[in-house]
């Protein structure tokens, strides 16, 4: 067995994990990051980033201004029948694929000195004698003073630790599937659109290289009703919205098969589990319709680093680090997650979605408040 010791171990190499690892390595700490995939790779994601994150990404070393990315300034929201509401986005954002962004962060992490172990799945984490012992594939055994969980929406560790959200019976917040395509389609560069359908919604926005990300969320029950056939479900349900029918029948699809993820949960999660700081979706997932999960993941990484740095500088204890991280996580994200769950309830059914879109059309002031409530300030 290999026995390696680090200051910090980061489990999961998505936006949250990579952002945290880069900050820690930049401060001079020894960092290992474990990722089960091999970069670059695609992920199910809406691939829209609010401008609240741009400064942070640039400080990490991502040359956002030189990447010729689509600048998104307007939102279009349609109900299942195609009736639409449009609005300016208070901050706006830009489109970029996870394939491109995660790989850029991976390369920065390597240059910073992060020891990145790809194609490595963590099997167990134990905390003993004030250190973490991490057992992974290929007989790897790693010890670290601090561990962070950045392994996404749901993992084998969530099941192993019996986290409450994985033990809940299927319900309104915890039994969704996500489907993503990259397509070529004549979609306005400045617009992100969110089209509702029965028991779900589908977003489309431009990303790099004249492509669009087309990504939708629906219930597992919706797919089961259509013999677990994604094309059949799309034709029978999504095509009822004329905007979606136009996209699906006119676009050029760039994947042979869509990317899919199941068992998505928006239930509450703990920000700290067994002394491990949870970041990104591992700590709590905002509903995709809010368009802000990527920014939240990176912001959480910043909050986690600030507390980790204080502990490693011996300015606070481990207990204080955990308490402060929980406090700041709740301060920045709890209200956004709450609003996301409310909107999920409205946009999850045909009648409520029609009501909400109509309300936003006739009360633009309320619509602006709803949009602002799902986003934060630059960090």
């Amino acid at each position: 067995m290999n026995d390696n010791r680090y200051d910090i171990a980061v489990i999961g190499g998505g936006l949250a994990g990579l952002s945290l690892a880069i900050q820690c390595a930049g401060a001079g700490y020894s960092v290992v990051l474990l990722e089960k995939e091999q970069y670059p790779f695609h992920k199910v994601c809406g691939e829209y980033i609010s401008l609240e994150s741009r400064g942070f990404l640039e400080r990490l070393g991502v040359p956002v201004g030189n990447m010729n990315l689509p600048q998104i300034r307007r939102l279009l929201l349609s109900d299942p029948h195609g009736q639409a509401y449009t609005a300016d986005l208070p901050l706006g954002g830009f489109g970029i694929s996870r394939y491109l962004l995660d790989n850029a962060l991976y390369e920065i992490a390597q240059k910073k000195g992060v020891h990145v172990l790809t194609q490595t799945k963590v099997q167990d984490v134990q905390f003993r004698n004030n250190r973490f012992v991490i057992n992974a594939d290929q007989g790897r055994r790693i010890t670290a003073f601090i561990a962070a969980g950045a392994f996404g929406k749901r993992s084998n560790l969530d099941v192993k630790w019996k986290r409450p959200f994985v033990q809940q019976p299927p319900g309104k917040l915890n039994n969704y599937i996500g489907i993503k395509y990259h397509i070529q389609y004549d979609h306005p560069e400045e617009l992100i659109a969110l089209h509702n359908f029965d028991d779900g919604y589908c977003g489309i926005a431009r990303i790099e290289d004249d492509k669009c990300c087309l990504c939708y969320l629906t219930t597992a029950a919706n797919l089961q009703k259509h013999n677990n056939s994604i094309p059949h479900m799309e034709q029978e349900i999504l095509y009822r919205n004329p905007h979606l029918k136009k996209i699906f029948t006119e676009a050029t699809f760039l994947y042979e098969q869509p990317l899919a993820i199941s068992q998505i949960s928006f239930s509450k999660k703990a920000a700290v589990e067994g002394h491990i700081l949870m970041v990104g979706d591992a700590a709590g997932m905002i509903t995709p319709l809010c368009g802000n999960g990527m920014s939240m993941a990176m912001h959480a990484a910043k909050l986690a680093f600030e507390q980790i740095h204080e502990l490693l500088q011996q300015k606070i204890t481990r207990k204080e680090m955990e308490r402060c991280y929980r406090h700041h996580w709740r301060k920045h994200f709890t209200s956004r997650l709450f609003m996301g769950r409310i909107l999920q309830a409205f946009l999850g059914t045909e009648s409520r979605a029609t009501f909400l879109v109509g309300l936003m059309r006739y009360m633009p002031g309320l619509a602006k408040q709803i949009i602002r409530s799902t986003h934060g300030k630059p960090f």
Side-chain angles (χ1 to χ4, degrees):
M1 278 191 181
N2 296 321
D3 194 346
N4 298 300
R5 298 171 67 87
Y6 297 88
D7 294 322
I8 302 124
V10 181
I11 305 168
L15 291 182
L18 287 164
S19 298
L20 177 57
I22 290 167
Q23 292 173 95
C24 291
Y29 302 121
S30 60
V31 186
V32 63
L33 182 146
L34 302 100
E35 168 55 47
K36 61 184 177 66
E37 304 289 347
Q38 178 67 55
Y39 298 98
F41 59 95
H42 293 284
K43 299 187 81 168
V44 175
C45 178
E47 301 185 329
Y48 163 85
I49 299 185
S50 165
L51 284 181
E52 66 189 81
S53 307
R54 177 168 176 160
F56 177 73
L57 274 172
E58 290 175 336
R59 294 195 300 274
L60 291 181
V62 180
V64 177
N66 299 327
M67 297 174 78
N68 194 30
L69 299 171
Q71 302 301 300
I72 299 169
R73 303 179 181 87
R74 290 182 59 76
L75 166 71
L76 184 149
L77 179 67
S78 76
D79 70 15
H81 308 290
Q83 295 295 314
Y85 161 80
T86 58
D88 293 330
L89 291 168
L91 271 177
F94 55 94
I96 183 171
S97 72
R98 295 295 300 273
Y99 188 90
L100 177 63
L101 179 57
D102 288 33
N103 194 59
L105 290 169
Y106 163 62
E107 292 176 350
I108 292 168
Q110 288 186 304
K111 290 176 183 176
K112 289 283 187 180
V114 177
H115 186 191
V116 183
L117 299 174
T118 57
Q119 296 181 302
T120 303
K121 188 173 183 178
V122 173
Q123 302 296 341
D124 187 37
V125 183
Q126 296 181 10
F127 183 69
R128 53 186 187 231
N129 300 322
N130 205 34
R131 293 188 71 84
F132 293 92
V133 179
I134 300 168
N135 293 305
D137 291 340
Q138 303 163 21
R140 287 195 171 103
R141 183 174 182 269
I142 292 164
T143 64
F145 183 59
I146 296 168
F151 38 73
K153 302 169 182 63
R154 183 186 178 99
S155 82
N156 63 312
L157 294 177
D158 292 317
V159 177
K160 187 178 184 66
W161 297 340
K162 298 181 179 179
R163 297 184 76 188
F165 80 93
V166 300
Q167 300 188 75
Q168 295 174 347
K172 293 182 178 180
L173 288 174
N174 66 354
N175 198 27
Y176 287 92
I177 60 169
I179 307 292
K180 187 184 91 167
Y181 301 92
H182 279 171
I183 62 174
Q184 288 184 324
Y185 182 71
D186 187 20
H187 182 77
E189 177 176 321
E190 77 283 356
L191 185 72
I192 183 169
L194 191 67
H195 301 300
N196 282 274
F197 56 88
D198 190 21
D199 283 335
Y201 46 85
C202 180
I204 179 172
R206 280 196 175 274
I207 54 172
E208 73 276 1
D209 298 332
D210 199 32
K211 296 181 292 189
C212 292
C213 174
L214 182 70
C215 191
Y216 66 86
L217 184 86
T218 189
T219 61
N222 218 4
L223 183 60
Q224 291 165 1
K225 284 188 293 187
H226 295 87
N227 299 317
N228 291 317
S229 167
I230 290 173
H232 185 218
M233 178 184 66
E234 289 169 350
Q235 292 173 18
E236 292 295 318
I237 301 296
L238 277 69
Y239 281 29
R240 294 178 189 171
N241 184 319
H243 298 281
L244 290 176
K245 184 176 181 179
K246 187 174 190 300
I247 294 168
F248 274 87
T249 55
E250 295 182 5
T252 300
F253 284 74
L254 304 177
Y255 296 161
E256 288 186 11
Q257 298 290 333
L259 289 182
I261 187 171
S262 62
Q263 295 181 303
I264 298 173
S265 172
F266 303 109
S267 299
K268 292 181 180 179
K269 302 177 182 178
V272 180
E273 287 277 4
H275 304 290
I276 301 171
L277 303 189
M278 298 295 181
V279 290
D281 289 343
M285 185 178 172
I286 194 167
T287 51
L289 60 93
C290 297
N292 212 30
M294 296 169 76
S295 289
M296 281 181 54
M298 291 183 283
H299 195 172
K302 178 177 182 291
L303 298 176
F305 167 70
E306 290 167 352
Q307 298 308 316
I308 289 170
H309 184 55
E310 291 286 291
L311 175 61
L312 291 175
Q313 293 295 305
Q314 300 182 344
K315 295 180 180 179
I316 58 175
T317 65
R318 187 183 295 276
K319 184 176 180 180
E320 289 170 330
M321 175 192 71
E322 295 172 11
R323 178 181 57 79
C324 289
Y325 178 64
R326 285 191 193 97
H327 168 75
H328 288 292
W329 198 95
R330 290 168 183 158
K331 176 183 175 182
H332 287 281
F333 305 132
T334 298
S335 62
R336 279 193 257 179
L337 291 171
F338 177 72
M339 178 56 71
R341 293 187 187 103
I342 291 176
L343 290 174
Q344 182 74 23
F346 267 95
L347 297 180
T349 60
E350 186 171 338
S351 59
R352 289 180 180 178
T354 300
F355 171 78
L356 181 62
V357 173
L359 188 66
M360 294 175 76
R361 290 175 67 193
Y362 292 107
M363 299 182 68
L366 175 63
K368 289 179 180 178
Q369 289 182 0
I370 291 173
I371 294 169
R372 286 196 182 97
S373 70
T374 61
H375 287 67
K377 297 178 180 179
F379 55 91

